[in-house]
Amino acid sequence: AQSVTQPDIHITVSEGASLELRCNYSYGATPYLFWYVQSPGQGLQLLLKYFSGDTLVQGIKGFEAEFKRSQSSFNLRKPSVHWSDAAEYFCAVAVGGGADGLTFGKGTHLIIQP
Amino acid sequence: DAGVIQSPRHEVTEMGQEVTLRCKPISGHDYLFWYRQTMMRGLELLIYFNNNVPIDDSGMPEDRFSAKMPNASFSTLKIQPSEPRDSAVYFCASSLERASGANVLTFGAGSRLTVL
Protein backbone atom coordinates (compact mmCIF):
# COMPACT_ATOMS: atom_id res chain seq x y z
CA ALA A 1 0.00 0.00 0.00
CA GLN A 2 1.11 3.52 -0.66
CA SER A 3 2.26 5.81 2.15
CA VAL A 4 3.32 9.41 2.59
CA THR A 5 5.86 10.82 5.02
CA GLN A 6 6.12 14.45 5.98
CA PRO A 7 9.20 14.51 8.21
CA ASP A 8 8.63 17.97 9.67
CA ILE A 9 5.76 18.33 12.11
CA HIS A 10 6.35 22.05 12.61
CA ILE A 11 8.28 24.60 10.58
CA THR A 12 8.84 28.24 11.50
CA VAL A 13 9.75 30.71 8.79
CA SER A 14 10.15 34.46 8.85
CA GLU A 15 7.79 36.47 6.69
CA GLY A 16 9.40 37.11 3.32
CA ALA A 17 11.74 34.15 3.58
CA SER A 18 11.65 31.13 1.31
CA LEU A 19 9.91 27.92 2.25
CA GLU A 20 10.36 24.26 1.47
CA LEU A 21 8.12 21.56 2.93
CA ARG A 22 9.25 18.01 2.49
CA CYS A 23 7.21 15.05 1.33
CA ASN A 24 8.31 11.50 0.57
CA TYR A 25 6.07 8.79 -0.76
CA SER A 26 6.23 5.05 -0.98
CA TYR A 27 4.68 3.47 -4.04
CA GLY A 28 5.93 1.09 -6.70
CA ALA A 29 4.85 3.05 -9.75
CA THR A 30 4.53 6.75 -10.47
CA PRO A 31 1.81 8.01 -8.23
CA TYR A 32 -0.55 10.92 -8.46
CA LEU A 33 0.68 13.54 -5.98
CA PHE A 34 -1.08 16.42 -4.30
CA TRP A 35 -0.51 19.21 -1.82
CA TYR A 36 -3.43 20.53 0.18
CA VAL A 37 -3.56 23.40 2.69
CA GLN A 38 -5.83 23.60 5.72
CA SER A 39 -6.41 26.86 7.54
CA PRO A 40 -7.68 26.68 11.13
CA GLY A 41 -11.29 25.50 11.28
CA GLN A 42 -11.45 25.03 7.54
CA GLY A 43 -11.49 22.20 5.07
CA LEU A 44 -8.65 21.23 2.81
CA GLN A 45 -7.91 23.31 -0.25
CA LEU A 46 -5.95 21.95 -3.19
CA LEU A 47 -2.70 23.84 -3.81
CA LEU A 48 -1.35 21.81 -6.70
CA LYS A 49 -1.14 18.34 -8.19
CA TYR A 50 1.20 16.21 -10.27
CA PHE A 51 -0.09 13.56 -12.63
CA SER A 52 2.51 13.35 -15.38
CA GLY A 53 4.70 15.46 -17.63
CA ASP A 54 6.73 18.39 -16.35
CA THR A 55 8.08 17.51 -12.94
CA LEU A 56 7.85 21.10 -11.72
CA VAL A 57 4.24 22.05 -11.14
CA GLN A 58 2.82 25.42 -10.33
CA GLY A 59 -0.07 25.92 -7.96
CA ILE A 60 -2.17 28.60 -6.43
CA LYS A 61 -0.94 31.28 -4.02
CA GLY A 62 2.55 31.26 -5.53
CA PHE A 63 3.39 27.68 -4.52
CA GLU A 64 5.24 25.16 -6.64
CA ALA A 65 6.35 21.58 -6.14
CA GLU A 66 8.90 19.36 -7.81
CA PHE A 67 8.50 15.65 -8.38
CA LYS A 68 11.78 13.75 -8.08
CA ARG A 69 11.36 10.11 -8.91
CA SER A 70 14.88 9.15 -7.83
CA GLN A 71 14.22 10.51 -4.35
CA SER A 72 10.53 9.56 -4.15
CA SER A 73 9.89 13.14 -3.16
CA PHE A 74 7.41 15.87 -3.92
CA ASN A 75 8.57 18.92 -1.98
CA LEU A 76 6.53 22.10 -1.81
CA ARG A 77 8.22 25.47 -2.21
CA LYS A 78 7.45 29.13 -2.11
CA PRO A 79 10.06 31.87 -2.72
CA SER A 80 8.62 34.37 -0.24
CA VAL A 81 6.04 33.51 2.42
CA HIS A 82 3.31 35.81 3.68
CA TRP A 83 1.73 35.79 7.13
CA SER A 84 -1.45 34.43 5.53
CA ASP A 85 0.44 31.25 4.57
CA ALA A 86 0.38 30.08 8.18
CA ALA A 87 -1.60 26.85 8.06
CA GLU A 88 -1.35 23.07 8.01
CA TYR A 89 0.01 21.56 4.81
CA PHE A 90 -0.72 18.03 3.69
CA CYS A 91 0.97 15.98 1.05
CA ALA A 92 -1.13 13.18 -0.44
CA VAL A 93 -0.72 10.31 -2.86
CA ALA A 94 -3.27 8.45 -4.93
CA VAL A 95 -3.36 5.50 -7.21
CA GLY A 96 -5.93 5.14 -9.92
CA GLY A 97 -6.08 8.90 -10.29
CA GLY A 98 -7.57 9.36 -6.85
CA ALA A 99 -10.71 7.45 -7.68
CA ASP A 100 -10.04 5.27 -4.67
CA GLY A 101 -9.23 8.14 -2.37
CA LEU A 102 -6.07 9.82 -1.21
CA THR A 103 -3.54 8.73 1.39
CA PHE A 104 -2.38 11.72 3.36
CA GLY A 105 0.76 12.49 5.29
CA LYS A 106 0.44 13.63 8.89
CA GLY A 107 0.85 17.25 7.89
CA THR A 108 3.33 20.05 8.52
CA HIS A 109 2.28 23.00 10.63
CA LEU A 110 3.71 26.21 9.20
CA ILE A 111 4.30 29.12 11.55
CA ILE A 112 5.18 32.53 10.14
CA GLN A 113 7.28 34.87 12.25
CA PRO A 114 6.89 38.62 11.69
CA ASP B 1 -21.10 26.03 -7.38
CA ALA B 2 -21.42 26.14 -3.61
CA GLY B 3 -18.83 23.42 -3.14
CA VAL B 4 -19.20 20.44 -0.85
CA ILE B 5 -21.63 21.26 1.94
CA GLN B 6 -21.48 19.55 5.30
CA SER B 7 -23.76 19.81 8.30
CA PRO B 8 -23.66 20.30 11.15
CA ARG B 9 -20.40 22.23 11.43
CA HIS B 10 -20.19 21.47 15.12
CA GLU B 11 -21.87 18.76 17.15
CA VAL B 12 -21.56 18.13 20.86
CA THR B 13 -23.26 15.05 22.20
CA GLU B 14 -23.12 12.65 25.08
CA MET B 15 -21.74 9.17 24.98
CA GLY B 16 -24.29 6.66 23.75
CA GLN B 17 -26.23 9.10 21.60
CA GLU B 18 -26.72 8.68 17.88
CA VAL B 19 -24.89 11.14 15.64
CA THR B 20 -25.71 11.82 12.00
CA LEU B 21 -23.42 13.86 9.79
CA ARG B 22 -24.60 15.05 6.40
CA CYS B 23 -22.94 15.86 3.12
CA LYS B 24 -24.04 17.35 -0.17
CA PRO B 25 -21.41 16.78 -2.86
CA ILE B 26 -20.73 19.02 -5.81
CA SER B 27 -23.36 18.53 -8.48
CA GLY B 28 -22.15 16.15 -11.18
CA HIS B 29 -19.42 14.57 -9.09
CA ASP B 30 -19.60 10.78 -9.12
CA TYR B 31 -17.32 9.97 -6.19
CA LEU B 32 -17.93 10.79 -2.55
CA PHE B 33 -15.48 10.22 0.29
CA TRP B 34 -15.73 10.38 4.07
CA TYR B 35 -12.55 11.14 6.02
CA ARG B 36 -11.87 11.48 9.72
CA GLN B 37 -9.19 13.77 11.11
CA THR B 38 -7.65 13.41 14.58
CA MET B 39 -4.43 14.67 16.08
CA MET B 40 -3.19 11.15 16.70
CA ARG B 41 -4.08 9.49 13.42
CA GLY B 42 -4.24 12.36 10.95
CA LEU B 43 -6.60 12.05 8.00
CA GLU B 44 -8.11 8.60 7.55
CA LEU B 45 -10.32 7.47 4.72
CA LEU B 46 -13.42 5.85 6.17
CA ILE B 47 -15.49 4.96 3.12
CA TYR B 48 -16.10 6.06 -0.42
CA PHE B 49 -18.93 5.80 -2.93
CA ASN B 50 -19.02 5.74 -6.70
CA ASN B 51 -22.34 6.57 -8.33
CA ASN B 52 -24.01 6.19 -4.92
CA VAL B 53 -22.64 2.67 -4.40
CA PRO B 54 -20.24 2.01 -1.50
CA ILE B 55 -16.97 0.78 -2.99
CA ASP B 56 -14.62 0.45 -0.05
CA ASP B 57 -15.61 0.68 3.60
CA SER B 58 -12.49 -0.95 4.99
CA GLY B 59 -11.64 2.24 6.84
CA MET B 60 -14.82 2.27 8.88
CA PRO B 61 -13.65 1.73 12.45
CA GLU B 62 -16.37 -0.63 13.62
CA ASP B 63 -20.01 -1.56 13.32
CA ARG B 64 -21.08 1.52 15.19
CA PHE B 65 -20.28 3.49 12.03
CA SER B 66 -22.47 3.35 8.94
CA ALA B 67 -22.71 5.47 5.81
CA LYS B 68 -25.34 5.78 3.14
CA MET B 69 -25.77 7.61 -0.12
CA PRO B 70 -29.44 7.38 -1.11
CA ASN B 71 -28.99 9.65 -4.12
CA ALA B 72 -26.33 11.58 -6.00
CA SER B 73 -26.78 14.72 -3.93
CA PHE B 74 -26.80 13.44 -0.38
CA SER B 75 -24.82 11.22 1.95
CA THR B 76 -24.89 10.53 5.67
CA LEU B 77 -22.39 9.16 8.14
CA LYS B 78 -23.99 7.78 11.26
CA ILE B 79 -22.43 6.76 14.56
CA GLN B 80 -24.60 4.75 16.92
CA PRO B 81 -23.86 4.63 19.79
CA SER B 82 -21.24 7.35 19.94
CA GLU B 83 -18.18 7.14 22.21
CA PRO B 84 -15.69 9.79 23.36
CA ARG B 85 -13.00 8.31 21.11
CA ASP B 86 -15.16 9.21 18.11
CA SER B 87 -14.43 12.88 18.76
CA ALA B 88 -12.82 14.18 15.59
CA VAL B 89 -13.40 16.33 12.54
CA TYR B 90 -15.22 14.45 9.83
CA PHE B 91 -14.71 15.59 6.25
CA CYS B 92 -16.70 14.83 3.18
CA ALA B 93 -15.10 15.19 -0.24
CA SER B 94 -16.31 14.65 -3.77
CA SER B 95 -14.64 14.22 -7.14
CA LEU B 96 -15.33 13.58 -10.77
CA GLU B 97 -13.65 10.72 -12.54
CA ARG B 98 -12.04 11.88 -15.74
CA ALA B 99 -10.79 9.85 -18.69
CA SER B 100 -7.26 10.91 -17.90
CA GLY B 101 -7.61 9.46 -14.43
CA ALA B 102 -7.04 12.92 -13.05
CA ASN B 103 -9.40 12.82 -10.10
CA VAL B 104 -9.15 15.75 -7.76
CA LEU B 105 -10.94 15.75 -4.42
CA THR B 106 -12.82 18.82 -3.25
CA PHE B 107 -13.38 18.89 0.50
CA GLY B 108 -16.15 20.32 2.59
CA ALA B 109 -15.47 22.47 5.64
CA GLY B 110 -15.87 19.52 7.98
CA SER B 111 -18.06 18.57 10.93
CA ARG B 112 -16.39 18.82 14.31
CA LEU B 113 -17.79 16.15 16.63
CA THR B 114 -17.28 16.16 20.37
CA VAL B 115 -18.59 13.22 22.36
CA LEU B 116 -18.65 13.82 26.12
Side-chain angles (χ1 to χ4, degrees):
Chain A
Q2 66 272 21
S3 65
V4 178
T5 301
Q6 293 180 250
D8 303 305
I9 298 174
H10 300 277
I11 281 189
T12 301
V13 178
S14 297
E15 189 168 15
S18 64
L19 170 70
E20 182 168 28
L21 302 182
R22 296 182 292 166
C23 172
N24 293 96
Y25 67 90
S26 173
Y27 180 60
T30 300
Y32 297 86
L33 295 161
F34 306 78
W35 275 100
Y36 280 83
V37 61
Q38 183 181 27
S39 297
Q42 301 299 312
L44 282 75
Q45 181 184 21
L46 179 69
L47 283 176
L48 48 78
K49 60 186 182 293
Y50 171 78
F51 291 139
S52 65
D54 193 345
T55 56
L56 183 64
V57 294
Q58 302 297 318
I60 63 172
K61 305 184 180 186
F63 285 92
E64 66 178 27
E66 186 172 12
F67 170 59
K68 293 186 177 180
R69 185 192 306 274
S70 61
Q71 299 177 18
S72 297
S73 69
F74 188 56
N75 293 349
L76 182 70
R77 301 193 294 248
K78 187 169 184 178
S80 177
V81 297
H82 186 262
W83 64 267
S84 60
D85 293 324
E88 192 84 16
Y89 291 80
F90 293 93
C91 182
V93 63
V95 298
D100 55 351
L102 301 177
T103 299
F104 285 88
K106 290 294 181 66
T108 297
H109 184 58
L110 177 63
I111 300 167
I112 306 296
Q113 281 184 335
Chain B
D1 199 313
V4 177
I5 300 173
Q6 293 187 244
S7 64
R9 289 295 312 276
H10 301 274
E11 175 92 6
V12 180
T13 190
E14 293 188 347
M15 183 173 62
Q17 296 300 304
E18 178 178 295
V19 173
T20 299
L21 308 178
R22 299 172 178 80
C23 175
K24 177 179 170 56
I26 292 174
S27 178
H29 279 193
D30 52 0
Y31 280 86
L32 184 139
F33 304 82
W34 282 101
Y35 280 85
R36 178 172 67 175
Q37 184 180 37
T38 61
M39 289 292 292
M40 291 299 296
R41 302 174 69 89
L43 280 154
E44 305 171 277
L45 177 62
L46 301 178
I47 184 171
Y48 75 93
F49 297 82
N50 177 220
N51 293 320
N52 314 336
V53 176
I55 303 301
D56 185 354
D57 66 353
S58 60
M60 296 285 262
E62 48 196 276
D63 292 345
R64 297 183 297 106
F65 286 69
S66 63
K68 294 182 180 179
M69 192 166 186
N71 57 62
S73 59
F74 184 66
S75 177
T76 60
L77 178 67
K78 187 174 293 186
I79 308 172
Q80 167 62 19
S82 59
E83 297 182 2
R85 60 192 168 123
D86 302 330
S87 298
V89 181
Y90 291 81
F91 287 103
C92 177
S94 68
S95 69
L96 176 64
E97 185 172 24
R98 297 177 174 82
S100 64
N103 264 24
V104 177
L105 273 62
T106 301
F107 283 80
S111 294
R112 179 176 295 277
L113 173 65
T114 302
V115 183
L116 303 174

